[in-house]
Amino acid sequence: MLVFLRLLALVVAPLFLLASCGGGEPDEPETVEATPALWEIADEDTTIYVFGTFHLLPDNVTWFAGPVREAFEESDQLVIDNLPPQDANRQLEGFAPARDGEPLSARLSPEYNERFDALIERYDIDRAAIDGADPWFAAMTLSLLEHRAIGLNDENDAEFALIRAAGEAGKFVVKREGYRDRLRFLDGLSTAVQTEMLEAEIERIETLREDHAALLESWASGDIDAFAARAQSEYDDRPELREAYLTGINVAWADWIAERLDRPGTVFIAIDVVRLGGEGSVIAMLAARDISARRMPE
């Protein structure tokens, strides 16, 4: 579930208390020189660059060059969705446990319980600990473990690389929302939506390696339509999940960009690429407000 990866890296990765990741040595991937999607939004005194990020990248993907680096270097600020604080583990403690005390095994159907049990065994997860967690936390934990098992490193996240570059260049980093705001968002999802999230993650793990390779190829070539078609297909039969994870946050980003255009300056925004293509994308929402975004290079 690609849209979960941003949440994953920002919420679960700082903790990683429940398991150790096995899976053997990953295959050595081929070198990828990416030319990912970038947009420019500008008026008389404001320029906003919108960069579509991809998360948990292989070690040998290069992307921070050409128009992306040039736009970043021209910018005064880096704007990101979220950033874990130094005390992220402590802040997470009150959110992961299930609010109603109902175990995950009682929420899942027999079919999903069987598949979930197999994943628990594969990753040597503490069953008692995970069974008492909310479904959103279990889903993200499984996703993180599977991505690490196929050789992906959460430190190779594009946003983390941009944050490091901003620090080195002395650029100010702006967060669209606070860490606890994101935790409250996840914890506030209905039990039905959270359970759908876990079920979708259990399904996705079976084809993760192939899906990730295809999505990486689309992102690296800047093919937003292909990326969105594949990444968003899992929401076709889950309208509540689509509303919570795509539409709602996309609206928040479109609002933020529209308001930022009222102030002068040059900013570089890093947004999960899944939000920038397909129906209801941030770019489409801006166009509906007569705010045009120019793909770079044209």
Side-chain angles (χ1 to χ4, degrees):
M1 211 169 251
L2 261 289
V3 73
F4 293 162
L5 295 184
R6 175 69 267 146
L7 304 175
L8 179 77
L10 295 174
V11 175
V12 179
L15 185 69
F16 200 53
L17 294 177
L18 297 179
S20 61
C21 180
E25 292 296 322
D27 296 334
E28 186 69 24
E30 296 181 4
T31 299
V32 176
E33 295 182 1
T35 54
L38 178 71
W39 288 262
E40 180 190 56
I41 302 169
D43 61 15
E44 303 82 23
D45 57 2
T46 308
T47 299
I48 298 175
Y49 295 106
V50 178
F51 173 58
T53 59
F54 192 78
H55 310 294
L56 305 182
L57 290 165
D59 291 338
N60 60 344
V61 173
T62 60
W63 57 270
F64 198 20
V68 173
R69 180 173 282 279
E70 292 169 7
F72 178 82
E73 291 178 350
E74 290 175 11
S75 300
D76 306 314
Q77 295 180 344
L78 168 66
V79 182
I80 59 173
D81 202 31
N82 202 302
L83 181 65
Q86 291 184 341
D87 64 343
N89 290 0
R90 182 183 61 80
Q91 293 196 33
L92 182 59
E93 288 175 359
F95 288 93
R99 288 166 292 176
D100 56 10
E102 186 174 12
L104 292 174
S105 55
R107 302 184 193 277
L108 296 172
S109 68
E111 176 193 354
Y112 280 108
N113 259 310
E114 184 177 352
R115 295 161 76 177
F116 184 62
D117 286 341
L119 293 169
I120 292 292
E121 183 176 354
R122 179 192 301 179
Y123 297 121
D124 192 25
I125 298 175
D126 183 335
R127 180 59 196 244
I130 198 71
D131 208 36
D134 269 330
W136 69 261
F137 185 84
M140 292 185 176
T141 300
L142 289 179
S143 184
L144 178 62
L145 293 172
E146 182 63 17
H147 279 83
R148 289 185 171 180
I150 65 173
L152 300 174
N153 187 341
D154 50 286
E155 292 191 1
N156 288 340
D157 181 286
E159 282 191 18
F160 289 172
L162 289 168
I163 291 167
R164 290 191 294 268
E168 293 168 1
K171 296 181 188 292
F172 190 61
V173 179
V174 177
K175 298 177 290 184
R176 187 186 63 81
E177 67 175 2
Y179 183 72
R180 290 186 67 83
D181 293 331
R182 177 52 53 88
L183 291 175
R184 280 190 285 267
F185 166 76
L186 290 165
D187 199 54
L189 294 173
S190 70
T191 299
V193 169
Q194 289 192 37
T195 303
E196 281 191 349
M197 177 180 175
L198 178 55
E199 291 173 350
E201 189 60 41
I202 291 170
E203 293 173 4
R204 189 181 67 89
I205 282 177
E206 296 176 357
T207 59
L208 178 61
R209 188 182 294 271
E210 305 94 285
D211 288 342
H212 187 276
L215 289 166
L216 178 59
E217 181 179 358
S218 297
W219 175 79
S221 64
D223 191 343
I224 297 299
D225 291 337
F227 190 101
R230 190 177 189 100
Q232 297 180 17
S233 62
E234 62 196 86
Y235 298 104
D236 291 345
D237 298 322
R238 296 182 169 100
E240 288 185 90
L241 200 55
R242 175 181 286 275
E243 176 64 28
Y245 264 88
L246 285 177
T247 308
I249 296 177
N250 289 1
V251 168
W253 266 119
D255 289 344
W256 194 98
I257 292 170
E259 292 172 4
R260 184 61 184 80
L261 280 170
D262 292 334
R263 289 175 283 133
T266 303
V267 298
F268 187 99
I269 300 180
I271 301 180
D272 192 323
V273 67
V274 76
R275 305 195 174 285
L276 300 175
E279 182 181 353
S281 70
V282 174
I283 300 300
M285 290 180 179
L286 290 171
R289 306 181 190 196
D290 294 325
I291 299 174
S292 61
R294 178 176 69 91
R295 274 292 295 266
M296 299 178 62
E298 289 183 316

